[in-house]
Amino acid sequence: MSLSLQAGGTSSRALPSQATQANALSANQATTRPITTGTSVLGIKYNGGVMLAADTLCSYGSLAKYKNAKRLLNINSRTLIGASGEYSDLQSISDLLRRNALEDRCTADSLYEEDNNEECAKEIWSYMRAVMYNRRNKMNPLWNDVVVAGFKQNTDGTTSDEPFLGVVDKIGTAYEDDILATGFGGHLALPLMREKYRPDMEEGEARALLEDCLRILFYRDCRALNRVQIAKVTKEGGVLVSDPYELDTFWDFKGYVSSKGEMGTDGGW
């Protein structure tokens, strides 16, 4: 191979064209916006446990494409997560957490003390906070708001009586609360939950409140669906995730049937 250093010299090793360089760069770009997304996840503490609720719709842009996408997932026998945002990133998070849970079981000191070697909900929440912040710093975030539900852990590794409910967003911001909502639920459902929430709510009351909020979201959020899942974590029963089912809806409200132009308003629907 001959290389010339003179002006106008040529080289048999040609430099890559600008088009080739652009193609190479585009192949390594991070996701700049979510494409296949799920909407709100709701969470609430009640007397004896924690409950999450979400619908099963994943929208491809503005198209309601996947109507059986389950976004409430059990990580181990005492921790449950739900997430809004990019569904493929939720699958990645689920694989990561379940891989960690399997590693914990495989490296346990005793096969007969599995519960004491499982991560509690607060540990998983803290771990997710570090993961989200790390990905954000690499300019390649996981486009999810993740809700973590379960129970805290005693110093001896046993499950505490104190329930836990926390959320982590895509840039690593994290906090705990008695009631939580992500996505559009933070605007429409959270005010209703604040109004009706009591710390001593029974399981049936908590479920009815979450179903009412999901129904409102179906009415008002064009990315929501009335096919939903409810999941709960209790100290005695562990994690239980329901099969998807459809909420009853009512569309005979006067404001839905008659246009506003017939009600003495400015003519808008």
PDB file of all heavy atoms in Angstrom, residues 200-236:
ATOM      1  N   ASP A 200     -57.153   2.822  56.818  1.00  0.00           N
ATOM      2  CA  ASP A 200     -57.747   1.572  57.299  1.00  0.00           C
ATOM      3  C   ASP A 200     -58.710   0.961  56.285  1.00  0.00           C
ATOM      4  O   ASP A 200     -59.577   0.162  56.651  1.00  0.00           O
ATOM      5  CB  ASP A 200     -58.478   1.813  58.625  1.00  0.00           C
ATOM      6  CG  ASP A 200     -59.619   2.828  58.483  1.00  0.00           C
ATOM      7  OD1 ASP A 200     -59.649   3.542  57.458  1.00  0.00           O
ATOM      8  OD2 ASP A 200     -60.463   2.902  59.402  1.00  0.00           O
ATOM      9  N   MET A 201     -58.572   1.295  55.023  1.00  0.00           N
ATOM     10  CA  MET A 201     -59.442   0.728  53.991  1.00  0.00           C
ATOM     11  C   MET A 201     -59.305  -0.788  53.931  1.00  0.00           C
ATOM     12  O   MET A 201     -58.199  -1.332  54.042  1.00  0.00           O
ATOM     13  CB  MET A 201     -59.111   1.313  52.616  1.00  0.00           C
ATOM     14  CG  MET A 201     -59.416   2.776  52.447  1.00  0.00           C
ATOM     15  SD  MET A 201     -59.021   3.374  50.789  1.00  0.00           S
ATOM     16  CE  MET A 201     -60.400   2.713  49.871  1.00  0.00           C
ATOM     17  N   GLU A 202     -60.424  -1.467  53.728  1.00  0.00           N
ATOM     18  CA  GLU A 202     -60.399  -2.910  53.526  1.00  0.00           C
ATOM     19  C   GLU A 202     -60.078  -3.212  52.061  1.00  0.00           C
ATOM     20  O   GLU A 202     -60.140  -2.325  51.192  1.00  0.00           O
ATOM     21  CB  GLU A 202     -61.739  -3.533  53.919  1.00  0.00           C
ATOM     22  CG  GLU A 202     -62.069  -3.380  55.397  1.00  0.00           C
ATOM     23  CD  GLU A 202     -61.048  -4.070  56.295  1.00  0.00           C
ATOM     24  OE1 GLU A 202     -60.510  -5.132  55.882  1.00  0.00           O
ATOM     25  OE2 GLU A 202     -60.773  -3.538  57.383  1.00  0.00           O
ATOM     26  N   GLU A 203     -59.767  -4.460  51.785  1.00  0.00           N
ATOM     27  CA  GLU A 203     -59.371  -4.845  50.433  1.00  0.00           C
ATOM     28  C   GLU A 203     -60.468  -4.540  49.408  1.00  0.00           C
ATOM     29  O   GLU A 203     -60.197  -4.035  48.318  1.00  0.00           O
ATOM     30  CB  GLU A 203     -59.026  -6.333  50.391  1.00  0.00           C
ATOM     31  CG  GLU A 203     -58.610  -6.816  49.012  1.00  0.00           C
ATOM     32  CD  GLU A 203     -58.300  -8.307  48.992  1.00  0.00           C
ATOM     33  OE1 GLU A 203     -57.835  -8.837  50.023  1.00  0.00           O
ATOM     34  OE2 GLU A 203     -58.525  -8.947  47.945  1.00  0.00           O
ATOM     35  N   GLY A 204     -61.710  -4.824  49.747  1.00  0.00           N
ATOM     36  CA  GLY A 204     -62.806  -4.568  48.821  1.00  0.00           C
ATOM     37  C   GLY A 204     -62.977  -3.090  48.517  1.00  0.00           C
ATOM     38  O   GLY A 204     -63.261  -2.710  47.367  1.00  0.00           O
ATOM     39  N   GLU A 205     -62.798  -2.246  49.521  1.00  0.00           N
ATOM     40  CA  GLU A 205     -62.905  -0.804  49.303  1.00  0.00           C
ATOM     41  C   GLU A 205     -61.779  -0.304  48.402  1.00  0.00           C
ATOM     42  O   GLU A 205     -61.997   0.536  47.524  1.00  0.00           O
ATOM     43  CB  GLU A 205     -62.859  -0.077  50.642  1.00  0.00           C
ATOM     44  CG  GLU A 205     -64.048  -0.333  51.554  1.00  0.00           C
ATOM     45  CD  GLU A 205     -63.900   0.363  52.883  1.00  0.00           C
ATOM     46  OE1 GLU A 205     -62.962   0.023  53.632  1.00  0.00           O
ATOM     47  OE2 GLU A 205     -64.719   1.248  53.184  1.00  0.00           O
ATOM     48  N   ALA A 206     -60.573  -0.810  48.632  1.00  0.00           N
ATOM     49  CA  ALA A 206     -59.437  -0.389  47.808  1.00  0.00           C
ATOM     50  C   ALA A 206     -59.638  -0.809  46.354  1.00  0.00           C
ATOM     51  O   ALA A 206     -59.382  -0.032  45.427  1.00  0.00           O
ATOM     52  CB  ALA A 206     -58.145  -0.987  48.360  1.00  0.00           C
ATOM     53  N   ARG A 207     -60.132  -2.028  46.162  1.00  0.00           N
ATOM     54  CA  ARG A 207     -60.351  -2.498  44.797  1.00  0.00           C
ATOM     55  C   ARG A 207     -61.442  -1.677  44.102  1.00  0.00           C
ATOM     56  O   ARG A 207     -61.297  -1.310  42.929  1.00  0.00           O
ATOM     57  CB  ARG A 207     -60.734  -3.971  44.817  1.00  0.00           C
ATOM     58  CG  ARG A 207     -61.024  -4.526  43.430  1.00  0.00           C
ATOM     59  CD  ARG A 207     -61.153  -6.022  43.422  1.00  0.00           C
ATOM     60  NE  ARG A 207     -61.321  -6.523  42.077  1.00  0.00           N
ATOM     61  CZ  ARG A 207     -60.918  -7.707  41.667  1.00  0.00           C
ATOM     62  NH1 ARG A 207     -60.297  -8.520  42.504  1.00  0.00           N
ATOM     63  NH2 ARG A 207     -61.121  -8.099  40.418  1.00  0.00           N
ATOM     64  N   ALA A 208     -62.524  -1.382  44.810  1.00  0.00           N
ATOM     65  CA  ALA A 208     -63.606  -0.580  44.218  1.00  0.00           C
ATOM     66  C   ALA A 208     -63.107   0.804  43.833  1.00  0.00           C
ATOM     67  O   ALA A 208     -63.469   1.337  42.765  1.00  0.00           O
ATOM     68  CB  ALA A 208     -64.768  -0.479  45.198  1.00  0.00           C
ATOM     69  N   LEU A 209     -62.259   1.406  44.665  1.00  0.00           N
ATOM     70  CA  LEU A 209     -61.723   2.729  44.361  1.00  0.00           C
ATOM     71  C   LEU A 209     -60.832   2.685  43.123  1.00  0.00           C
ATOM     72  O   LEU A 209     -60.936   3.550  42.236  1.00  0.00           O
ATOM     73  CB  LEU A 209     -60.933   3.260  45.564  1.00  0.00           C
ATOM     74  CG  LEU A 209     -60.219   4.608  45.378  1.00  0.00           C
ATOM     75  CD1 LEU A 209     -61.200   5.694  44.939  1.00  0.00           C
ATOM     76  CD2 LEU A 209     -59.507   5.011  46.662  1.00  0.00           C
ATOM     77  N   LEU A 210     -59.980   1.668  43.025  1.00  0.00           N
ATOM     78  CA  LEU A 210     -59.113   1.555  41.861  1.00  0.00           C
ATOM     79  C   LEU A 210     -59.927   1.314  40.587  1.00  0.00           C
ATOM     80  O   LEU A 210     -59.610   1.865  39.524  1.00  0.00           O
ATOM     81  CB  LEU A 210     -58.092   0.433  42.061  1.00  0.00           C
ATOM     82  CG  LEU A 210     -57.023   0.670  43.122  1.00  0.00           C
ATOM     83  CD1 LEU A 210     -56.071  -0.516  43.185  1.00  0.00           C
ATOM     84  CD2 LEU A 210     -56.249   1.953  42.863  1.00  0.00           C
ATOM     85  N   GLU A 211     -60.961   0.502  40.677  1.00  0.00           N
ATOM     86  CA  GLU A 211     -61.797   0.253  39.499  1.00  0.00           C
ATOM     87  C   GLU A 211     -62.522   1.525  39.063  1.00  0.00           C
ATOM     88  O   GLU A 211     -62.648   1.785  37.863  1.00  0.00           O
ATOM     89  CB  GLU A 211     -62.796  -0.870  39.785  1.00  0.00           C
ATOM     90  CG  GLU A 211     -62.158  -2.251  39.841  1.00  0.00           C
ATOM     91  CD  GLU A 211     -63.177  -3.345  40.040  1.00  0.00           C
ATOM     92  OE1 GLU A 211     -64.332  -3.036  40.436  1.00  0.00           O
ATOM     93  OE2 GLU A 211     -62.843  -4.524  39.802  1.00  0.00           O
ATOM     94  N   ASP A 212     -62.988   2.309  40.022  1.00  0.00           N
ATOM     95  CA  ASP A 212     -63.630   3.584  39.675  1.00  0.00           C
ATOM     96  C   ASP A 212     -62.642   4.508  38.956  1.00  0.00           C
ATOM     97  O   ASP A 212     -62.998   5.177  37.976  1.00  0.00           O
ATOM     98  CB  ASP A 212     -64.161   4.278  40.931  1.00  0.00           C
ATOM     99  CG  ASP A 212     -65.415   3.616  41.475  1.00  0.00           C
ATOM    100  OD1 ASP A 212     -66.054   2.851  40.722  1.00  0.00           O
ATOM    101  OD2 ASP A 212     -65.755   3.861  42.648  1.00  0.00           O
ATOM    102  N   CYS A 213     -61.418   4.544  39.440  1.00  0.00           N
ATOM    103  CA  CYS A 213     -60.406   5.400  38.810  1.00  0.00           C
ATOM    104  C   CYS A 213     -60.054   4.904  37.408  1.00  0.00           C
ATOM    105  O   CYS A 213     -59.903   5.710  36.472  1.00  0.00           O
ATOM    106  CB  CYS A 213     -59.151   5.453  39.682  1.00  0.00           C
ATOM    107  SG  CYS A 213     -59.366   6.331  41.244  1.00  0.00           S
ATOM    108  N   LEU A 214     -59.940   3.594  37.240  1.00  0.00           N
ATOM    109  CA  LEU A 214     -59.658   3.051  35.909  1.00  0.00           C
ATOM    110  C   LEU A 214     -60.801   3.333  34.941  1.00  0.00           C
ATOM    111  O   LEU A 214     -60.585   3.582  33.749  1.00  0.00           O
ATOM    112  CB  LEU A 214     -59.420   1.542  36.002  1.00  0.00           C
ATOM    113  CG  LEU A 214     -58.120   1.094  36.662  1.00  0.00           C
ATOM    114  CD1 LEU A 214     -58.116  -0.409  36.850  1.00  0.00           C
ATOM    115  CD2 LEU A 214     -56.911   1.526  35.844  1.00  0.00           C
ATOM    116  N   ARG A 215     -62.016   3.320  35.459  1.00  0.00           N
ATOM    117  CA  ARG A 215     -63.177   3.630  34.623  1.00  0.00           C
ATOM    118  C   ARG A 215     -63.141   5.095  34.162  1.00  0.00           C
ATOM    119  O   ARG A 215     -63.406   5.405  32.991  1.00  0.00           O
ATOM    120  CB  ARG A 215     -64.458   3.317  35.388  1.00  0.00           C
ATOM    121  CG  ARG A 215     -65.715   3.338  34.539  1.00  0.00           C
ATOM    122  CD  ARG A 215     -66.925   2.908  35.339  1.00  0.00           C
ATOM    123  NE  ARG A 215     -66.890   1.480  35.656  1.00  0.00           N
ATOM    124  CZ  ARG A 215     -66.683   0.976  36.869  1.00  0.00           C
ATOM    125  NH1 ARG A 215     -66.488   1.781  37.907  1.00  0.00           N
ATOM    126  NH2 ARG A 215     -66.672  -0.319  37.067  1.00  0.00           N
ATOM    127  N   ILE A 216     -62.801   5.996  35.064  1.00  0.00           N
ATOM    128  CA  ILE A 216     -62.668   7.407  34.705  1.00  0.00           C
ATOM    129  C   ILE A 216     -61.563   7.591  33.662  1.00  0.00           C
ATOM    130  O   ILE A 216     -61.712   8.356  32.695  1.00  0.00           O
ATOM    131  CB  ILE A 216     -62.379   8.261  35.953  1.00  0.00           C
ATOM    132  CG1 ILE A 216     -63.575   8.246  36.903  1.00  0.00           C
ATOM    133  CG2 ILE A 216     -62.008   9.691  35.568  1.00  0.00           C
ATOM    134  CD1 ILE A 216     -64.826   8.874  36.331  1.00  0.00           C
ATOM    135  N   LEU A 217     -60.463   6.882  33.832  1.00  0.00           N
ATOM    136  CA  LEU A 217     -59.375   6.982  32.862  1.00  0.00           C
ATOM    137  C   LEU A 217     -59.810   6.465  31.496  1.00  0.00           C
ATOM    138  O   LEU A 217     -59.425   7.015  30.458  1.00  0.00           O
ATOM    139  CB  LEU A 217     -58.153   6.202  33.364  1.00  0.00           C
ATOM    140  CG  LEU A 217     -57.406   6.830  34.538  1.00  0.00           C
ATOM    141  CD1 LEU A 217     -56.378   5.857  35.103  1.00  0.00           C
ATOM    142  CD2 LEU A 217     -56.724   8.122  34.113  1.00  0.00           C
ATOM    143  N   PHE A 218     -60.610   5.412  31.475  1.00  0.00           N
ATOM    144  CA  PHE A 218     -61.108   4.910  30.197  1.00  0.00           C
ATOM    145  C   PHE A 218     -61.992   5.942  29.508  1.00  0.00           C
ATOM    146  O   PHE A 218     -61.947   6.101  28.288  1.00  0.00           O
ATOM    147  CB  PHE A 218     -61.876   3.613  30.419  1.00  0.00           C
ATOM    148  CG  PHE A 218     -62.510   3.057  29.174  1.00  0.00           C
ATOM    149  CD1 PHE A 218     -61.750   2.790  28.050  1.00  0.00           C
ATOM    150  CD2 PHE A 218     -63.867   2.807  29.129  1.00  0.00           C
ATOM    151  CE1 PHE A 218     -62.332   2.277  26.888  1.00  0.00           C
ATOM    152  CE2 PHE A 218     -64.457   2.295  27.982  1.00  0.00           C
ATOM    153  CZ  PHE A 218     -63.690   2.032  26.859  1.00  0.00           C
ATOM    154  N   TYR A 219     -62.791   6.664  30.301  1.00  0.00           N
ATOM    155  CA  TYR A 219     -63.642   7.705  29.729  1.00  0.00           C
ATOM    156  C   TYR A 219     -62.821   8.872  29.174  1.00  0.00           C
ATOM    157  O   TYR A 219     -63.187   9.462  28.148  1.00  0.00           O
ATOM    158  CB  TYR A 219     -64.606   8.254  30.789  1.00  0.00           C
ATOM    159  CG  TYR A 219     -65.688   7.307  31.238  1.00  0.00           C
ATOM    160  CD1 TYR A 219     -66.217   7.399  32.521  1.00  0.00           C
ATOM    161  CD2 TYR A 219     -66.198   6.323  30.391  1.00  0.00           C
ATOM    162  CE1 TYR A 219     -67.225   6.546  32.957  1.00  0.00           C
ATOM    163  CE2 TYR A 219     -67.203   5.464  30.820  1.00  0.00           C
ATOM    164  CZ  TYR A 219     -67.713   5.577  32.098  1.00  0.00           C
ATOM    165  OH  TYR A 219     -68.703   4.733  32.522  1.00  0.00           O
ATOM    166  N   ARG A 220     -61.743   9.228  29.846  1.00  0.00           N
ATOM    167  CA  ARG A 220     -61.070  10.506  29.579  1.00  0.00           C
ATOM    168  C   ARG A 220     -59.701  10.388  28.903  1.00  0.00           C
ATOM    169  O   ARG A 220     -59.212  11.372  28.352  1.00  0.00           O
ATOM    170  CB  ARG A 220     -60.891  11.263  30.901  1.00  0.00           C
ATOM    171  CG  ARG A 220     -62.208  11.610  31.589  1.00  0.00           C
ATOM    172  CD  ARG A 220     -63.032  12.545  30.745  1.00  0.00           C
ATOM    173  NE  ARG A 220     -64.272  12.941  31.417  1.00  0.00           N
ATOM    174  CZ  ARG A 220     -65.192  13.724  30.862  1.00  0.00           C
ATOM    175  NH1 ARG A 220     -65.012  14.184  29.644  1.00  0.00           N
ATOM    176  NH2 ARG A 220     -66.293  14.029  31.528  1.00  0.00           N
ATOM    177  N   ASP A 221     -59.064   9.226  28.985  1.00  0.00           N
ATOM    178  CA  ASP A 221     -57.722   9.061  28.422  1.00  0.00           C
ATOM    179  C   ASP A 221     -57.842   8.225  27.148  1.00  0.00           C
ATOM    180  O   ASP A 221     -58.240   7.060  27.192  1.00  0.00           O
ATOM    181  CB  ASP A 221     -56.819   8.366  29.439  1.00  0.00           C
ATOM    182  CG  ASP A 221     -55.389   8.209  28.940  1.00  0.00           C
ATOM    183  OD1 ASP A 221     -55.101   8.666  27.817  1.00  0.00           O
ATOM    184  OD2 ASP A 221     -54.563   7.618  29.664  1.00  0.00           O
ATOM    185  N   CYS A 222     -57.473   8.807  25.998  1.00  0.00           N
ATOM    186  CA  CYS A 222     -57.643   8.093  24.730  1.00  0.00           C
ATOM    187  C   CYS A 222     -56.629   6.964  24.563  1.00  0.00           C
ATOM    188  O   CYS A 222     -56.710   6.221  23.584  1.00  0.00           O
ATOM    189  CB  CYS A 222     -57.541   9.065  23.556  1.00  0.00           C
ATOM    190  SG  CYS A 222     -55.964   9.911  23.430  1.00  0.00           S
ATOM    191  N   ARG A 223     -55.686   6.794  25.492  1.00  0.00           N
ATOM    192  CA  ARG A 223     -54.734   5.677  25.446  1.00  0.00           C
ATOM    193  C   ARG A 223     -55.086   4.599  26.471  1.00  0.00           C
ATOM    194  O   ARG A 223     -54.280   3.723  26.745  1.00  0.00           O
ATOM    195  CB  ARG A 223     -53.309   6.173  25.701  1.00  0.00           C
ATOM    196  CG  ARG A 223     -52.799   7.212  24.736  1.00  0.00           C
ATOM    197  CD  ARG A 223     -52.562   6.650  23.335  1.00  0.00           C
ATOM    198  NE  ARG A 223     -51.986   7.669  22.459  1.00  0.00           N
ATOM    199  CZ  ARG A 223     -52.687   8.486  21.704  1.00  0.00           C
ATOM    200  NH1 ARG A 223     -54.014   8.411  21.723  1.00  0.00           N
ATOM    201  NH2 ARG A 223     -52.107   9.384  20.929  1.00  0.00           N
ATOM    202  N   ALA A 224     -56.280   4.675  27.049  1.00  0.00           N
ATOM    203  CA  ALA A 224     -56.687   3.726  28.078  1.00  0.00           C
ATOM    204  C   ALA A 224     -57.725   2.757  27.518  1.00  0.00           C
ATOM    205  O   ALA A 224     -58.335   2.981  26.478  1.00  0.00           O
ATOM    206  CB  ALA A 224     -57.237   4.452  29.296  1.00  0.00           C
ATOM    207  N   LEU A 225     -57.940   1.660  28.260  1.00  0.00           N
ATOM    208  CA  LEU A 225     -58.871   0.609  27.851  1.00  0.00           C
ATOM    209  C   LEU A 225     -59.629   0.136  29.081  1.00  0.00           C
ATOM    210  O   LEU A 225     -59.137   0.261  30.207  1.00  0.00           O
ATOM    211  CB  LEU A 225     -58.087  -0.551  27.225  1.00  0.00           C
ATOM    212  CG  LEU A 225     -58.875  -1.667  26.523  1.00  0.00           C
ATOM    213  CD1 LEU A 225     -59.544  -1.128  25.265  1.00  0.00           C
ATOM    214  CD2 LEU A 225     -57.939  -2.812  26.152  1.00  0.00           C
ATOM    215  N   ASN A 226     -60.829  -0.427  28.878  1.00  0.00           N
ATOM    216  CA  ASN A 226     -61.597  -0.938  30.017  1.00  0.00           C
ATOM    217  C   ASN A 226     -61.280  -2.392  30.334  1.00  0.00           C
ATOM    218  O   ASN A 226     -61.932  -3.001  31.174  1.00  0.00           O
ATOM    219  CB  ASN A 226     -63.098  -0.776  29.763  1.00  0.00           C
ATOM    220  CG  ASN A 226     -63.596  -1.649  28.618  1.00  0.00           C
ATOM    221  OD1 ASN A 226     -62.864  -1.918  27.669  1.00  0.00           O
ATOM    222  ND2 ASN A 226     -64.846  -2.070  28.706  1.00  0.00           N
ATOM    223  N   ARG A 227     -60.304  -2.974  29.669  1.00  0.00           N
ATOM    224  CA  ARG A 227     -59.802  -4.314  30.011  1.00  0.00           C
ATOM    225  C   ARG A 227     -58.631  -4.116  30.970  1.00  0.00           C
ATOM    226  O   ARG A 227     -57.605  -3.524  30.585  1.00  0.00           O
ATOM    227  CB  ARG A 227     -59.369  -5.049  28.754  1.00  0.00           C
ATOM    228  CG  ARG A 227     -58.851  -6.460  28.970  1.00  0.00           C
ATOM    229  CD  ARG A 227     -58.521  -7.105  27.625  1.00  0.00           C
ATOM    230  NE  ARG A 227     -57.797  -8.348  27.767  1.00  0.00           N
ATOM    231  CZ  ARG A 227     -58.355  -9.532  27.978  1.00  0.00           C
ATOM    232  NH1 ARG A 227     -59.680  -9.611  28.070  1.00  0.00           N
ATOM    233  NH2 ARG A 227     -57.634 -10.627  28.078  1.00  0.00           N
ATOM    234  N   VAL A 228     -58.744  -4.606  32.202  1.00  0.00           N
ATOM    235  CA  VAL A 228     -57.802  -4.229  33.263  1.00  0.00           C
ATOM    236  C   VAL A 228     -57.314  -5.458  34.028  1.00  0.00           C
ATOM    237  O   VAL A 228     -57.854  -6.560  33.896  1.00  0.00           O
ATOM    238  CB  VAL A 228     -58.454  -3.231  34.243  1.00  0.00           C
ATOM    239  CG1 VAL A 228     -58.948  -1.998  33.508  1.00  0.00           C
ATOM    240  CG2 VAL A 228     -59.590  -3.892  35.017  1.00  0.00           C
ATOM    241  N   GLN A 229     -56.297  -5.215  34.830  1.00  0.00           N
ATOM    242  CA  GLN A 229     -55.781  -6.185  35.797  1.00  0.00           C
ATOM    243  C   GLN A 229     -55.669  -5.529  37.164  1.00  0.00           C
ATOM    244  O   GLN A 229     -55.347  -4.342  37.263  1.00  0.00           O
ATOM    245  CB  GLN A 229     -54.394  -6.683  35.393  1.00  0.00           C
ATOM    246  CG  GLN A 229     -54.363  -7.800  34.379  1.00  0.00           C
ATOM    247  CD  GLN A 229     -52.949  -8.299  34.181  1.00  0.00           C
ATOM    248  OE1 GLN A 229     -52.087  -7.577  33.675  1.00  0.00           O
ATOM    249  NE2 GLN A 229     -52.706  -9.528  34.579  1.00  0.00           N
ATOM    250  N   ILE A 230     -55.928  -6.325  38.198  1.00  0.00           N
ATOM    251  CA  ILE A 230     -55.703  -5.906  39.575  1.00  0.00           C
ATOM    252  C   ILE A 230     -54.713  -6.893  40.196  1.00  0.00           C
ATOM    253  O   ILE A 230     -54.802  -8.104  39.963  1.00  0.00           O
ATOM    254  CB  ILE A 230     -57.015  -5.919  40.395  1.00  0.00           C
ATOM    255  CG1 ILE A 230     -58.051  -4.977  39.776  1.00  0.00           C
ATOM    256  CG2 ILE A 230     -56.749  -5.538  41.849  1.00  0.00           C
ATOM    257  CD1 ILE A 230     -57.796  -3.516  39.988  1.00  0.00           C
ATOM    258  N   ALA A 231     -53.766  -6.381  40.971  1.00  0.00           N
ATOM    259  CA  ALA A 231     -52.797  -7.243  41.643  1.00  0.00           C
ATOM    260  C   ALA A 231     -52.624  -6.773  43.079  1.00  0.00           C
ATOM    261  O   ALA A 231     -52.750  -5.579  43.365  1.00  0.00           O
ATOM    262  CB  ALA A 231     -51.457  -7.231  40.913  1.00  0.00           C
ATOM    263  N   LYS A 232     -52.332  -7.703  43.968  1.00  0.00           N
ATOM    264  CA  LYS A 232     -52.154  -7.346  45.375  1.00  0.00           C
ATOM    265  C   LYS A 232     -50.994  -8.131  45.977  1.00  0.00           C
ATOM    266  O   LYS A 232     -50.590  -9.187  45.478  1.00  0.00           O
ATOM    267  CB  LYS A 232     -53.428  -7.631  46.168  1.00  0.00           C
ATOM    268  CG  LYS A 232     -53.773  -9.109  46.278  1.00  0.00           C
ATOM    269  CD  LYS A 232     -54.993  -9.334  47.170  1.00  0.00           C
ATOM    270  CE  LYS A 232     -55.293 -10.827  47.330  1.00  0.00           C
ATOM    271  NZ  LYS A 232     -56.442 -11.071  48.234  1.00  0.00           N
ATOM    272  N   VAL A 233     -50.457  -7.569  47.057  1.00  0.00           N
ATOM    273  CA  VAL A 233     -49.429  -8.237  47.859  1.00  0.00           C
ATOM    274  C   VAL A 233     -49.883  -8.211  49.305  1.00  0.00           C
ATOM    275  O   VAL A 233     -50.190  -7.138  49.847  1.00  0.00           O
ATOM    276  CB  VAL A 233     -48.060  -7.536  47.746  1.00  0.00           C
ATOM    277  CG1 VAL A 233     -46.981  -8.392  48.399  1.00  0.00           C
ATOM    278  CG2 VAL A 233     -47.704  -7.256  46.296  1.00  0.00           C
ATOM    279  N   THR A 234     -49.948  -9.375  49.927  1.00  0.00           N
ATOM    280  CA  THR A 234     -50.244  -9.484  51.350  1.00  0.00           C
ATOM    281  C   THR A 234     -49.146 -10.292  52.019  1.00  0.00           C
ATOM    282  O   THR A 234     -48.451 -11.073  51.363  1.00  0.00           O
ATOM    283  CB  THR A 234     -51.607 -10.155  51.592  1.00  0.00           C
ATOM    284  OG1 THR A 234     -51.600 -11.466  51.006  1.00  0.00           O
ATOM    285  CG2 THR A 234     -52.734  -9.341  50.968  1.00  0.00           C
ATOM    286  N   LYS A 235     -48.991 -10.116  53.311  1.00  0.00           N
ATOM    287  CA  LYS A 235     -47.941 -10.831  54.036  1.00  0.00           C
ATOM    288  C   LYS A 235     -48.209 -12.322  54.061  1.00  0.00           C
ATOM    289  O   LYS A 235     -47.285 -13.138  53.922  1.00  0.00           O
ATOM    290  CB  LYS A 235     -47.834 -10.280  55.463  1.00  0.00           C
ATOM    291  CG  LYS A 235     -46.680 -10.890  56.257  1.00  0.00           C
ATOM    292  CD  LYS A 235     -46.542 -10.268  57.625  1.00  0.00           C
ATOM    293  CE  LYS A 235     -45.378 -10.894  58.387  1.00  0.00           C
ATOM    294  NZ  LYS A 235     -45.230 -10.305  59.743  1.00  0.00           N
ATOM    295  N   GLU A 236     -49.455 -12.713  54.232  1.00  0.00           N
ATOM    296  CA  GLU A 236     -49.785 -14.129  54.335  1.00  0.00           C
ATOM    297  C   GLU A 236     -49.863 -14.799  52.959  1.00  0.00           C
ATOM    298  O   GLU A 236     -49.342 -15.895  52.766  1.00  0.00           O
ATOM    299  CB  GLU A 236     -51.127 -14.311  55.053  1.00  0.00           C
ATOM    300  CG  GLU A 236     -51.152 -13.832  56.489  1.00  0.00           C
ATOM    301  CD  GLU A 236     -51.289 -12.318  56.600  1.00  0.00           C
ATOM    302  OE1 GLU A 236     -51.655 -11.687  55.576  1.00  0.00           O
ATOM    303  OE2 GLU A 236     -51.032 -11.772  57.685  1.00  0.00           O
TER     304      GLU A 236
END
